[in-house]
Amino acid sequence: MDTVVKEYLDSIDSLPHHFHLHFLHAIEILGYKHSDERIRVWWNKTYNRLAHDMHLVVENEMTLDARLNDDEMQWRKDESRFKK
């Protein structure tokens, strides 16, 4: 699988950015939430690899949980950080 990830990263410029972001977020969830530790660790390593490839700050699990929560008050608070 590491070879597949390398091939994916080698061809990243030919893929739609929108697809890549969804894929990155799916990998992040697997890397933090998969029930099998061995699989979770591999996906987490892959998430870190892809995030660094895009020059992104790696989101920790607590931040992921907060971002994906179902709390409207938290959404509004987060939105207000970006309003001028």
Side-chain angles (χ1 to χ4, degrees):
M1 284 294 291
D2 289 327
T3 303
V4 173
V5 173
K6 182 185 180 321
E7 290 172 3
Y8 176 81
L9 288 171
D10 288 346
S11 66
I12 200 75
D13 289 337
S14 65
L15 299 170
H17 183 73
H18 184 90
F19 167 83
H20 182 61
L21 285 177
H22 281 293
F23 187 53
L24 177 69
H25 286 122
I27 288 170
E28 177 184 12
I29 291 168
L30 289 169
Y32 287 127
K33 305 297 183 181
H34 199 283
S35 60
D36 183 309
E37 181 182 8
R38 186 177 58 88
I39 294 170
R40 184 175 60 249
V41 166
W42 188 86
W43 280 113
N44 187 267
K45 179 183 83 168
T46 302
Y47 163 63
N48 278 268
R49 186 174 176 188
L50 269 64
H52 284 111
D53 183 72
M54 290 186 67
H55 308 283
L56 299 174
V57 174
V58 172
E59 186 175 53
N60 64 40
E61 187 174 4
M62 188 173 77
T63 305
L64 168 73
D65 290 342
R67 181 171 55 83
L68 296 180
N69 74 29
D70 197 20
D71 179 354
E72 185 177 356
M73 289 183 65
Q74 185 64 44
W75 299 342
R76 301 289 179 212
K77 180 181 172 189
D78 292 344
E79 287 174 354
S80 69
R81 294 184 347 203
F82 301 105
K83 292 181 181 176
K84 291 184 179 188

